[in-house]
Amino acid sequence: MNATSDAELIETGRKVFAGDWKFIWAAGSIETLPPMDGMEVAFAGRSNVGKSSLINALTNRNGLARTSHTPGRTQELIFFEGPPNAGLRLVDMPGYGYAAAPKAKVAAWTALIHKFLLGRASLARVYVLIDSRHGFKDVDIEILKTFDRSAVSYQIVLTKIDQIKAAELPERIAAIQATLAKHPAAFPDVLATSSETGAGMPELRAAMMKLLRERGA
Ligand code: GTP
Ligand code: MG
């Protein structure tokens, strides 16, 4: 991609995300998903990694998605829709790998997450969020393997980069990329973000605009 189209995608993303974003649907089971309409992108990752905060930062809306200091805040698939004609929905998901939750609940969430991520035609990409302080954990690698097997297109988004030293960021990204080389369905670029400072938001919005274009929307 050349510099001109980069700048153009960033500007389009800025406009789309400056528009009106609203909550449209919450689904606690695969039977109660909203009818498919437009393109969806989903935010997956361990509990507390910052999925809901990222949705708020992207949309410039503090209370749009519910966040919490305690893991396990988001317990359903939560759908947000952008301005009319944008054709884009964001899906906030329950976190995986939350050890303190009751076993039955964890199993139910895991089943829901898997069914949704593997069986939704309108889902263009899964953003897999990784805490920049911690890197990949075993549960993350399990999810990546599942995506590889099902050819789900996914990209890694590092979160909370305000919590690490700027000088450490390149080596964190390199470590992630070294692991990604073993995962065929992974998009090779890693996006580094902070919902706290807004770092990486223009790039993430632009990435979604590119996806929309590739889909012919
Ligand atoms: P679950 O819904 O429980 O799976 O969590 P989640 O992934 O949606 O995380 P959430 O957005 O609720 O954020 C968890 C905690 O991390 C909150 O206390 C946030 O304020 C904090 N947090 C999220 N993003 C950032 C960030 O970029 N920087 C910093 N410093 N803190 C963040
Ligand atoms: Mg959440």
Side-chain angles (χ1 to χ4, degrees):
M1 196 167 36
N2 61 41
T4 324
S5 67
D6 260 356
E8 190 204 323
L9 286 170
I10 282 184
E11 176 56 12
T12 310
R14 188 192 65 74
K15 280 193 193 135
V16 165
F17 280 88
D20 189 28
W21 281 82
K22 53 183 192 292
F23 162 82
I24 57 157
W25 200 284
S29 74
I30 210 76
E31 289 77 28
T32 56
L33 291 173
M36 291 191 256
D37 185 20
M39 185 185 98
E40 292 168 343
V41 300
F43 297 85
R46 295 170 66 226
S47 281
N48 221 41
V49 72
K51 301 174 291 296
S52 302
S53 301
L54 187 67
I55 288 178
N56 289 337
L58 282 168
T59 57
N60 307 297
R61 293 271 306 275
N62 262 334
L64 187 63
R66 287 193 204 140
T67 66
S68 164
H69 292 292
T70 25
R73 168 72 257 190
T74 311
Q75 307 201 351
E76 295 174 294
L77 299 175
I78 314 284
F79 291 76
F80 301 98
E81 196 162 81
N85 308 324
L88 180 62
R89 287 175 175 175
L90 310 180
V91 188
D92 194 6
M93 307 189 72
Y96 52 77
Y98 174 36
K103 272 211 174 80
K105 217 167 190 186
V106 172
W109 291 349
T110 309
L112 175 63
I113 292 169
H114 276 82
K115 278 188 209 152
F116 175 71
L117 294 178
L118 307 183
R120 184 89 170 162
S122 46
L123 185 65
R125 178 150 297 168
V126 182
Y127 290 106
V128 180
L129 276 54
I130 302 293
D131 191 317
S132 56
R133 295 169 296 184
H134 309 316
F136 282 128
K137 301 283 182 187
D138 290 347
V139 277
D140 299 314
I141 300 297
E142 287 310 311
I143 290 276
L144 302 196
K145 283 184 189 159
T146 312
F147 292 165
D148 292 330
R149 279 196 296 271
S150 324
V152 171
S153 160
Y154 63 91
Q155 181 167 12
I156 303 301
V157 174
L158 284 179
T159 62
K160 310 190 188 185
I161 62 163
D162 58 287
Q163 295 292 303
I164 62 166
K165 294 196 186 84
E168 287 174 15
L169 187 58
E171 56 191 85
R172 305 272 165 150
I173 292 176
I176 296 281
Q177 279 172 331
T179 304
L180 285 184
K182 291 173 234 150
H183 294 274
F187 191 80
D189 290 349
V190 174
L191 286 162
T193 69
S194 164
S195 301
E196 219 34 58
T197 67
M201 295 307 138
E203 292 78 8
L204 182 49
R205 293 184 193 119
M208 290 181 228
M209 296 303 110
K210 187 155 185 269
L211 281 177
L212 273 172
R213 254 176 228 186
E214 285 165 1
R215 283 224 158 190

